[in-house]
Amino acid sequence: MKKEDLRIVFMGTPEFAVETLSRLVEEQYNVVAVVTQPDKPVGRHGSVLQPSPVKIFAVEHGLPVLQPEKMKDPAFVEQLQSFNANLQVVVAFRMLPEVVWAMPEYGTFNVHAALLPQYRGAAPINWAVINGETVTGVTTFFLDHDIDTGRIIMQKTFDIPDTADVEYVYNGLMHLGADICLKTLEKIMDADGHPESIPQDNVLPDSALLKLAPKIFKETCKIDWNKPAKQVYDFIRGLSPYPGAWTTLTGVDGKETVLKIFHVTKTDKKAIGVGRIVAERMHMYVSAADYMLQIDELQLAGKKRMAAADFLNGMKTIENYFAE
């Protein structure tokens, strides 16, 4: 099979997906249409509609764009069928109904930012870092009835340095995801549309603990200083720079201030009480369960992100506060 024999519909929304779509166009694959989320209202009154990064790229390159509100909408399904695609590629999109993922003769495959079956779900990059993983990766798999459970086509690994935050891993997997997509397409063409794939049950040992990657909400991002310093450290970098881990500073007068924390450094300073704050020589430390963490970068509600030293300049009585 040759490239021109593949009629591909690409589905994706964020910047993460643009890298893969860009590579498909660059390598002259026959992308016949792009499906992405509807434009998002932004601005104070929601009067401005912001197109997704994928839509912006698709329009710039003259690709037809479909933006269904509902994936089961008969009008959308009919329009999708009209492109006569024999393969669909999904990167960072939404759950698809069977009427959509089963439509092409060669099926629909997804590029997932984790080594499935580990970290099934909406936020695999965040949770891998939060859990202190040293290795993650990307997986291509065929979609089926359940989320992130289909037969695996290919996997590639990616090392996570102990100092890496989500932005570093996101960027690395974004490029690796584009690479594995192209390799998967080559494999599909070599097999005339039906490449070898394996059930996910064959990948995970029976004794292994299955780790999930559910969607992250504001409440998810609250720091628990009762945990060991290493876990708090991983939690913070697993949410940095977005959406950002946060804590509440509570003063002796009971006044509370929300503080986002973007970067911390592990120390060998013993804890002096969970949530206790210490300032030494323009360095700020907070006690976890066993050791103190040095706070390097933070952001007060309504303010800009700043270095901890700048924050301390304006908070002369910081030791009268607790992190909760």
Side-chain angles (χ1 to χ4, degrees), residues 2-79:
K2 298 178 181 180
K3 286 183 182 179
E4 51 267 32
D5 298 324
L6 273 180
R7 293 178 58 82
I8 299 171
V9 166
F10 181 88
M11 300 184 181
T13 296
E15 176 195 16
F16 190 92
V18 174
E19 178 66 19
T20 300
L21 179 57
S22 174
R23 293 283 296 279
L24 291 177
V25 172
E26 182 181 313
E27 295 295 326
Q28 298 184 328
Y29 277 94
N30 186 18
V31 180
V32 295
V34 170
V35 182
T36 190
Q37 294 279 44
D39 294 356
K40 184 178 180 181
V42 295
R44 188 171 182 180
H45 303 291
S47 57
V48 178
L49 293 178
Q50 175 65 47
S52 73
V54 162
K55 179 182 178 179
I56 292 172
F57 179 90
V59 170
E60 288 176 348
H61 291 79
L63 301 173
V65 177
L66 285 66
Q67 296 178 273
E69 290 283 351
K70 297 180 180 179
M71 299 301 290
K72 290 183 179 180
D73 183 348
F76 163 69
V77 173
E78 182 178 357
Q79 187 179 17

Side-chain angles (χ1 to χ4, degrees), residues 247-258:
T247 190
T248 301
L249 294 185
T250 304
V252 292
D253 58 358
K255 183 179 179 180
E256 295 184 348
T257 304
V258 174

Side-chain angles (χ1 to χ4, degrees), residues 147-162:
I147 296 176
D148 299 337
T149 60
R151 295 175 66 91
I152 291 173
I153 310 167
M154 296 185 73
Q155 292 188 317
K156 287 184 176 292
T157 60
F158 181 84
D159 292 336
I160 306 177
D162 184 60

